[in-house]
Amino acid sequence: MMADQYTDVFQLHNTEKTMQAARLHERLASDGVRLGCYSHNCPAPCHPVHPSQCYSSTCRARRAALSKIAEQAAMVRSLREELKSTDGWELHRESSGIRTLSRRTVGDSHVMIRVEGHVDAPLLNILSVFYEVDLWRLWVPSIPIMGLRSAEMVEDFSTTRFTVQMTVNTPWPIATRDMMIHVQGVDCMDPAETADEPDGKRQIVVLLTSTDTLWGGDPAPPPDESVVRMGLSVGALILTPESINGGDTGTHLAIISKIDPKLDYIPTSLINLASKYMCWLFFDRLKKQAKIIKGTEYEARVEAGGRFYTYLKEKMTAINYTEPRSDVVPS
């Protein structure tokens, strides 16, 4: 029985149901059900006293997976909670329907930035603009001496988990920067995914964190010579479709990020100022691109299907989500 219960946790996570997996794990832990060799066929002997501390690679991997599920769920809950108010956030700019806020963390000179606003485009449009990494060049802010140089998906691990490498130009004498980013989409649209959420908001949360390893466990490709790798300790896109949350049309989008550009020799105040502006510009460009995908390569790729778009369309159909003004309607 124990084996089946924990197998269900892993199965939920492997089928992109992170929040349901986390809740089942929490319930099992609360009931005193422990993960150990006694709960499945372990290929190596148990620890003689504490089975949950078995030394076999199988058990270590299972414990690590449960820890990761708990970590991801905690991050999603924390980010969703952040959007409920602006307490502790300082308003930096509000223009073109986009609001930029920032917040300092004690002991950290880099600020966390939050950019949010209404996007007059359906969920599928916004997700396609973000998912098609090789097309970022069409909208991500870039000028000859500063901005995006390249972006590519270096690992397509599962339907909602992939790894992206982006390289950005910087003005002389600053070395070129790059970032390796774990991307994970977390479903908070289905009521079953948010059963423990008091406000009942139905959302999609896209977690973004810098990484040195791929989802599959292999080392990520190193940066090119003379390129400095940046860090992203907190990152997320939180999409709230208006129509399925009692509103009109379109999508409320929030982007939260905390970036370390590895520029210790430049005043932090200047870095924070530039980061706030670039985040606002990133949001503005994404917002505009999401509104004009009809007749473009984006629309062609959405219509062509594939694992990612098939999953999204099936999910939207299952929860009866429609967007009346969409120019790319799930079939």
Side-chain angles (χ1 to χ4, degrees):
M1 182 65 176
M2 294 179 185
D4 291 341
Q5 289 175 302
Y6 274 107
T7 297
D8 287 346
V9 174
F10 298 120
Q11 180 62 26
L12 285 168
H13 187 246
N14 290 338
T15 54
E16 322 299 342
K17 298 177 180 177
T18 299
M19 302 309 291
Q20 288 188 54
R23 284 203 305 277
L24 177 56
H25 173 33
E26 291 161 0
R27 186 164 65 248
L28 292 174
S30 177
D31 292 342
V33 180
R34 301 173 63 190
L35 176 71
C37 294
Y38 56 83
S39 67
H40 67 292
N41 296 322
C42 185
C46 289
H47 186 287
V49 179
H50 302 291
S52 64
Q53 297 302 314
C54 173
Y55 298 138
S56 78
S57 59
T58 301
C59 283
R60 288 200 305 272
R62 286 162 65 87
R63 289 197 303 273
L66 287 177
S67 177
K68 194 68 176 177
I69 290 169
E71 177 185 331
Q72 292 164 352
M75 177 62 73
V76 169
R77 288 166 178 159
S78 174
L79 290 165
R80 282 162 56 84
E81 188 67 27
E82 288 287 359
L83 295 190
K84 293 180 182 178
S85 78
T86 56
D87 292 347
W89 291 88
E90 177 184 354
L91 180 63
H92 173 68
R93 175 179 182 174
E94 190 162 9
S95 62
S96 303
I98 305 170
R99 181 167 61 172
T100 307
L101 306 100
S102 64
R103 188 176 69 190
R104 292 186 178 275
T105 303
V106 176
D108 192 340
S109 58
H110 297 110
V111 297
M112 185 181 297
I113 300 170
R114 169 178 165 184
V115 188
E116 60 185 359
H118 179 80
V119 179
D120 190 20
L123 197 63
L124 192 59
N125 286 34
I126 300 170
L127 290 173
S128 69
V129 169
F130 185 73
Y131 177 74
E132 300 298 343
V133 178
D134 64 312
L135 299 181
W136 283 10
R137 56 184 168 76
L138 300 177
W139 62 273
V140 173
S142 181
I143 57 178
I145 63 168
M146 187 174 181
L148 183 71
R149 174 187 292 183
S150 63
E152 64 174 319
M153 188 182 297
V154 297
E155 180 193 30
D156 185 9
F157 182 72
S158 73
T159 306
T160 63
R161 281 174 281 178
F162 52 95
T163 306
V164 171
Q165 182 178 20
M166 63 180 295
T167 305
V168 295
N169 294 317
T170 52
W172 185 89
I174 300 172
T176 300
R177 260 56 184 169
D178 89 340
M179 186 181 293
M180 192 69 64
I181 309 169
H182 265 174
V183 181
Q184 179 182 8
V186 180
D187 174 23
C188 298
M189 289 280 281
D190 191 321
E193 290 287 341
T194 55
D196 58 350
E197 300 289 341
D199 63 1
K201 285 285 187 182
R202 300 170 73 174
Q203 300 168 319
I204 287 180
V205 179
V206 182
L207 298 177
L208 311 169
T209 53
S210 56
T211 182
D212 292 322
T213 60
L214 302 178
W215 283 106
D218 293 333
D224 293 338
E225 187 177 356
S226 78
V227 173
V228 176
R229 180 150 290 171
M230 300 184 291
L232 178 65
S233 57
V234 178
L237 280 73
I238 305 173
L239 302 95
T240 310
E242 301 287 4
S243 64
I244 205 169
N245 283 289
D248 191 6
T249 59
T251 306
H252 180 275
L253 173 64
I255 301 175
I256 297 177
S257 66
K258 187 175 183 182
I259 300 173
D260 179 3
K262 308 297 183 183
L263 290 168
D264 296 338
Y265 47 87
I266 293 181
T268 305
S269 58
L270 183 59
I271 293 174
N272 289 335
L273 182 62
S275 296
K276 292 170 188 174
Y277 175 71
M278 289 303 292
C279 286
W280 180 91
L281 191 58
F282 181 93
F283 189 109
D284 183 61
R285 295 285 181 84
L286 190 158
K287 174 181 178 179
K288 290 175 179 176
Q289 184 65 58
K291 293 174 62 176
I292 56 170
I293 74 168
K294 189 173 180 62
T296 68
E297 180 66 17
Y298 290 105
E299 184 180 39
R301 294 185 185 186
V302 171
E303 294 300 329
R307 180 171 64 178
F308 179 71
Y309 293 118
T310 298
Y311 169 81
L312 286 179
K313 292 175 182 181
E314 290 176 350
K315 192 69 181 178
M316 292 176 182
T317 299
I319 63 174
N320 298 315
Y321 168 73
T322 58
E323 177 56 70
R325 291 169 58 186
S326 171
D327 58 359
V328 179
V329 181
S331 57

